[in-house]
Amino acid sequence: MNISFAVISDIHLKSKTTKDEKKFKKALEVINRLRPELDAMIIAGDITHGGKKSEYVKFENIYNEYGNPNAERIFVMGNHDYWNGLPIKMAQKRFREFTGGLIHSHKIIKGFHFISVSTEGRWRDGHFTSKLLKWVKERLEIAKNDDPKKPIFFTVHQHIKGTVYGSEEWSNKSFYNVLKDYPQVVTFTGHSHHPLNDPRSIHQRDFTSIGTASVSYIEMEKGKVNGSIPPRADEFSQGLLISVSEDNKVIIEALDFVNEKIISTPWVLEDIGDKSKFKYTDDRYKCGIKPYFKGKMVKLKDVTSDSVTIIFNQGKHKDFIHSYKIEVINKITGKIHKEFLAFSDFYLNKSKTKLSVKLTGLMKNTKYNLKIKALESFGHESEDYLTATFETMNKSRIKTITDNIMLCVEYLFPSAQKR
């Protein structure tokens, strides 16, 4: 291979001791084992959680002990790295002092151009001056003129809006118009913590965009009952290994640091400067394969006057089930009372056969039918579905039961009531 490098982001080291230190160490150890002869290490921002000196000291100590000393460092600042109350220039000075990184850089490594930029302030969605955009454009021209058939690697913390999974919310649109004339550009962006298991973490339109997930924890889109930071979110840690072959073929492998393995089939970019050869495009939304159910079991527990917990067999798909659509239908009227969306546990890479979801906001003393459908990443629903029927409790009945229990307690233990 011509070059080999790793990309990670969103380490979020904190002043107090947390799992993040162990995760960072393990990420570096896994990368070293899989790719001992590493040419470069890219970190796409949010190295620290608050830009504190103590956090940077942790980073420096861990990286110096576990990082590959021969790998070129390409580190950029994320918004969290400014959360220290310092003026922008002082925050940047601290970053340079402890990481050895440059705020913005253009490096040529083994003949390949690496352009990296830091967000210029603590704003969540990023801030990039017109001066910086002009500088990036100039650097891109230099790289393209050097060899238009080679990929140009571009790193920034925030996703570029309208590209990868997570870029609708966790993004900045500043760079799109700068990059759109360079189909050979491959971007690496973090910030959202969205998982690399999802095929939408690579995207091609005018250039190639790749999400970098997070070393620290997972976060996904809002609107699901199990939360945008889903259950066992801290049992997650991911990154990327990239290699480029002699014929400029780019091979991207997604890494699961927790389970110490490559997640799935690598993404491969061929004929990098030819948009007509792009295969990770929006057209994938049209040709997704529908999931299905093999086991049809649904169990109900903890039924109250306004909630129920459902446990059901997870669906099947050639890749994985992303989430479920659960309709709670009033059995008398036949109308949908409420619709819930819930993530599966695909992001753990060790999905359980059953999933448990709590549904709330139901009406008391009401009979309901459940309908559960499985969804894959691009939104295609299963044609079959799971069903169940249940009835919520009456509040007054719950109060009567409670009152009866208290009467029994008073009868059996009268002295306890006088204390």
Side-chain angles (χ1 to χ4, degrees):
M1 64 184 71
N2 267 357
I3 193 170
S4 174
F5 60 96
V7 188
I8 59 175
S9 74
D10 296 87
I11 304 165
H12 289 278
L13 293 173
K14 301 171 183 67
S15 296
K16 62 181 181 180
T17 300
T18 66
K19 290 182 179 180
D20 298 305
E21 292 117 86
K22 289 183 178 179
K23 287 185 173 184
F24 184 34
K25 291 175 187 177
K26 190 169 186 180
L28 295 174
E29 288 174 336
V30 171
I31 291 167
N32 289 339
R33 187 172 68 251
L34 295 176
R35 205 63 55 84
E37 296 181 4
L38 201 68
D39 295 303
M41 169 63 79
I42 296 176
I43 303 181
D46 281 2
I47 288 171
T48 66
H49 192 67
K52 296 176 182 177
K53 187 178 290 187
S54 57
E55 295 168 349
Y56 277 119
V57 168
K58 278 188 182 181
F59 171 80
E60 185 179 41
N61 291 338
I62 293 170
Y63 192 83
N64 287 344
E65 182 176 354
Y66 294 90
N68 188 320
N70 300 315
E72 184 77 29
R73 298 184 180 195
I74 302 174
F75 304 161
V76 302
M77 296 182 74
N79 54 304
H80 274 265
D81 298 316
Y82 286 94
W83 284 14
N84 45 29
L86 295 175
I88 289 173
K89 294 297 181 184
M90 293 299 293
Q92 292 175 343
K93 181 181 178 183
R94 179 176 288 179
F95 168 82
R96 290 195 304 269
E97 178 185 351
F98 286 98
T99 68
L102 298 172
I103 304 305
H104 315 304
S105 71
H106 179 189
K107 297 184 179 184
I108 301 174
I109 306 171
K110 298 181 77 170
F112 291 91
H113 289 258
F114 290 79
I115 301 168
S116 63
V117 298
S118 293
T119 181
E120 299 179 294
R122 71 193 308 276
W123 299 277
R124 194 195 81 159
D125 294 334
H127 175 71
F128 307 97
T129 62
S130 57
K131 182 180 178 181
L132 178 59
L133 299 181
K134 182 182 177 183
W135 179 83
V136 171
K137 178 77 173 177
E138 291 169 352
R139 299 289 106 187
L140 291 170
E141 278 296 307
I142 292 170
K144 184 187 77 169
N145 292 334
D146 187 20
D147 190 339
K149 293 183 179 180
K150 279 187 175 180
I152 303 169
F153 299 109
F154 178 79
T155 302
V156 65
H157 180 60
Q158 282 85 359
H159 293 316
I160 297 163
K161 196 168 186 66
T163 57
V164 296
Y165 184 35
S167 67
E168 291 308 308
E169 182 178 2
W170 301 93
S171 61
N172 187 288
K173 62 183 180 181
S174 299
F175 287 107
Y176 198 100
N177 286 335
V178 177
L179 300 174
K180 66 181 178 63
D181 297 324
Y182 302 90
Q184 61 270 70
V185 163
V186 180
T187 72
F188 300 110
T189 55
H191 194 42
S192 71
H193 297 219
H194 282 38
L196 296 172
N197 316 55
D198 196 298
R200 292 172 292 173
S201 289
I202 183 170
H203 177 270
Q204 292 179 302
R205 187 182 299 118
D206 293 311
F207 49 88
T208 301
S209 303
I210 302 171
T212 61
S214 166
V215 171
S216 180
Y217 67 93
I218 186 175
E219 187 163 354
M220 292 186 283
E221 67 269 24
K222 297 175 182 177
K224 305 293 193 293
V225 293
N226 36 13
S228 59
I229 299 178
R232 300 168 67 191
D234 63 344
E235 296 177 33
F236 172 94
S237 187
Q238 294 184 348
L240 296 165
L241 273 182
I242 318 293
S243 59
V244 186
S245 62
E246 297 290 335
D247 58 354
N248 292 322
K249 181 188 295 183
V250 182
I251 300 165
I252 303 126
E253 295 175 301
L255 298 180
D256 173 0
F257 297 127
V258 173
N259 297 301
E260 302 184 29
K261 66 179 184 179
I262 294 170
I263 292 171
S264 58
T265 305
W267 298 318
V268 180
L269 312 178
E270 299 180 85
D271 299 308
I272 190 70
D274 186 351
K275 286 199 287 187
S276 68
K277 302 289 179 64
F278 284 0
K279 56 185 176 181
Y280 303 103
T281 65
D282 293 330
D283 288 341
R284 294 177 294 167
Y285 285 82
K286 302 173 186 175
C287 54
I289 296 173
K290 293 181 178 181
Y292 62 94
F293 287 99
K294 194 170 184 180
K296 301 267 182 172
M297 185 280 291
V298 181
K299 288 184 178 178
L300 308 170
K301 73 171 188 176
D302 300 331
V303 181
T304 71
S305 61
D306 62 356
S307 68
V308 63
T309 297
I310 61 173
I311 303 167
F312 57 92
N313 283 347
Q314 296 218 58
K316 301 289 183 181
H317 188 261
K318 71 178 186 68
D319 296 321
F320 60 87
I321 305 299
H322 178 271
S323 50
Y324 295 91
K325 183 169 76 173
I326 305 163
E327 294 178 349
V328 180
I329 304 164
N330 188 303
K331 193 172 182 180
I332 303 301
T333 66
K335 294 181 179 180
I336 297 175
H337 169 69
K338 207 166 184 180
E339 181 180 283
F340 300 87
L341 294 171
F343 290 119
S344 79
D345 57 356
F346 75 93
Y347 49 89
L348 297 174
N349 283 318
K350 285 185 177 180
S351 288
K352 294 182 178 179
T353 57
K354 297 178 177 62
L355 192 71
S356 175
V357 179
K358 184 176 182 178
L359 310 179
T360 60
L362 308 180
M363 295 188 298
K364 67 178 183 180
N365 200 27
T366 304
K367 292 182 179 179
Y368 289 109
N369 288 329
L370 281 177
K371 181 185 285 188
I372 305 168
K373 286 196 168 189
L375 287 78
E376 50 88 66
S377 291
F378 296 105
H380 296 277
E381 296 182 5
S382 58
E383 291 183 351
D384 59 341
Y385 51 86
L386 307 180
T387 60
T389 299
F390 70 97
E391 183 176 359
T392 52
M393 298 180 71
N394 191 315
K395 279 185 179 179
S396 60
R397 183 186 165 199
I398 296 172
K399 187 175 186 305
T400 301
I401 293 171
T402 303
D403 289 345
N404 287 340
I405 291 171
M406 291 306 298
L407 286 171
C408 290
V409 169
E410 289 176 9
Y411 177 77
L412 294 171
F413 307 102
S415 60
Q417 305 303 312
K418 297 175 183 178
R419 292 180 181 177

